[in-house]
């Protein structure tokens, strides 16, 4: 791992294909009918949301935060059938991108809203992810997708209404470096108490469509502690992927000056 001046590890390359397969997943999921809406942010603003040891990942000097509504399908354990209605539901994430002390790139979730209370509680306990219980719906009318969400628990008022028109499929060879930066993420970072944790994620490359944003009325960013964006977002859509998630493992943080966690 190459190091920058000051001891920071150079981030790993962004790859369209998962570089290391998750051979023993502890969770299987399907992420479908997914819209991603990303806004540019000052890296220092986003860094303030991350625990000490993780640093915000940037593209051409900017951090990016996304609101991603989609349809979670057939969430289950390996070798176990789906749990009926508990396994399929709408979900909306607020996420950003980080680099761990080893230079690995991943996702940091600011919030994850779903309309199933039991899976939200289980995910909070098992992965320590900030799942929330919300009233949600997804509708499709031709090439127009509509996603609605109103949070019920535990973080008070936070809602979203998103409508997009699905555009043309982008050929694999024409997906830009920036679009790979937003979509080709093979891990998620979280925190168990004072310990940083890392879980590998494995899925096929995303089929990326351009998309037109018809409506976006949301308070999820503010609920996550972020200021309102001051520029137009980047909008993409995908029919989705099937996902394998590995067991969270502890991140080794080298000794150095401590920064208080937010």
């Amino acid at each position: 791992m190459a190091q920058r001046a000051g001891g920071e590890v150079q981030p790993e390359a962004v790859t369209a294909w998962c570089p290391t397969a998750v051979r023993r997943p502890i969770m299987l999921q399907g992420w479908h009918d997914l819209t991603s809406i990303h806004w540019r942010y000052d890296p220092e603003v986003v860094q303030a949301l991350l625990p000490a040891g993780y640093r915000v990942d940037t593209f051409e000097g900017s951090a990016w935060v996304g609101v991603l509504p989609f349809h979670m399908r057939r969430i289950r354990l390996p070798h176990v059938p789906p749990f009926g209605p508990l396994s399929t539901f709408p979900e909306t994430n607020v996420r950003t991108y980080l680099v761990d002390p080893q230079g690995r790139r991943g996702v940091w979730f600011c919030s994850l809203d779903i309309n199933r209370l039991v899976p939200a509680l289980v995910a909070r306990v098992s992965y320590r992810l900030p799942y929330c219980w919300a009233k949600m719906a997804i509708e499709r009318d031709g090439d127009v997708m509509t996603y609605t969400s109103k949070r019920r628990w535990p973080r008070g008022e936070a809602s979203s209404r998103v409508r997009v028109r699905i555009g043309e499929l982008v050929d694999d060879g024409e997906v830009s470096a920036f679009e790979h930066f937003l979509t080709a993420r093979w891990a998620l970072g979280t925190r168990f108490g004072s310990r940083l944790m890392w879980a590998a994620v494995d899925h096929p490359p995303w089929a990326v469509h351009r998309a037109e944003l018809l409506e976006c009325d949301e308070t999820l960013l503010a609920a996550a502690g972020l200021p309102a964006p001051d520029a137009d977002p980047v909008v993409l859509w995908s029919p989705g992927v099937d996902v394998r998630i590995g067991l969270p493992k502890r991140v080794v943080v080298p000794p150095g000056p401590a920064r208080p966690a937010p």
Side-chain angles (χ1 to χ4, degrees):
M1 294 181 289
Q3 290 192 335
R4 298 173 175 171
E8 283 191 349
V9 175
Q10 179 73 26
E12 65 186 357
V14 175
T15 57
W17 288 86
C18 183
T20 305
V22 176
R23 302 198 179 279
R24 294 184 177 179
I26 64 168
M27 185 71 68
L28 305 175
Q29 303 178 355
W31 303 341
H32 296 275
D33 298 322
L34 184 145
T35 291
S36 72
I37 309 166
H38 282 87
W39 290 269
R40 185 192 306 269
Y41 274 88
D42 184 319
E44 292 185 1
V45 170
V46 179
Q47 183 66 55
L49 302 178
L50 304 180
Y54 287 147
R55 69 182 191 269
V56 63
D57 200 0
T58 61
F59 187 86
E60 295 182 349
S62 295
W64 291 84
V65 177
V67 171
L68 291 85
F70 65 98
H71 205 160
M72 176 75 82
R73 293 181 184 168
R74 303 184 70 244
I75 183 172
R76 62 202 186 279
L77 302 174
H79 313 299
V80 175
F83 312 123
L86 293 177
S87 293
T88 297
F89 44 80
E91 180 166 334
T92 298
N93 298 339
V94 177
R95 79 184 208 182
T96 189
Y97 305 99
L98 54 73
V99 179
D100 85 338
Q102 301 174 38
R104 297 176 296 184
R105 287 183 144 113
V107 172
W108 176 265
F109 291 105
C110 302
S111 65
L112 307 94
D113 286 69
I114 63 176
N115 70 346
R116 296 287 188 268
L117 179 58
V118 171
L121 296 174
V122 170
R124 276 181 169 261
V125 171
S126 59
Y127 277 88
R128 298 298 197 273
L129 293 173
Y131 270 88
C132 304
W133 180 37
K135 181 179 180 180
M136 309 181 76
I138 299 176
E139 298 177 1
R140 181 165 184 170
D141 183 5
D143 60 356
V144 174
M145 301 288 307
T146 303
Y147 311 83
T148 57
S149 176
K150 184 175 178 59
R151 190 173 297 173
R152 292 172 165 172
W153 176 89
R155 296 190 175 189
E157 177 60 30
S159 62
S160 65
R161 177 177 170 82
V162 170
R163 293 177 63 242
V164 298
R165 177 173 287 112
I166 303 166
E168 74 277 7
L169 175 66
V170 183
D171 291 338
D172 291 345
E174 295 181 2
V175 178
S176 69
F178 174 58
E179 289 163 342
H180 281 310
F181 173 86
L182 297 178
T183 60
R185 295 284 159 167
W186 310 114
L188 63 90
T190 185
R191 179 175 60 186
F192 286 16
S194 61
R195 294 177 295 171
L196 300 184
M197 305 296 291
W198 198 256
V201 176
D202 179 7
H203 58 73
W206 291 96
V208 176
H209 288 246
R210 305 277 187 249
E212 177 188 0
L213 187 61
L214 304 176
E215 181 182 356
C216 183
D217 182 8
E218 62 80 28
T219 57
L220 298 174
L221 296 175
L226 288 158
D230 58 6
D232 291 337
V234 175
V235 186
L236 301 171
W237 182 86
S238 177
V241 292
D242 290 324
V243 183
R244 299 160 62 88
I245 302 177
L247 180 70
K249 297 181 179 180
R250 188 170 184 176
V251 175
V252 177
V253 180
R259 179 176 63 83

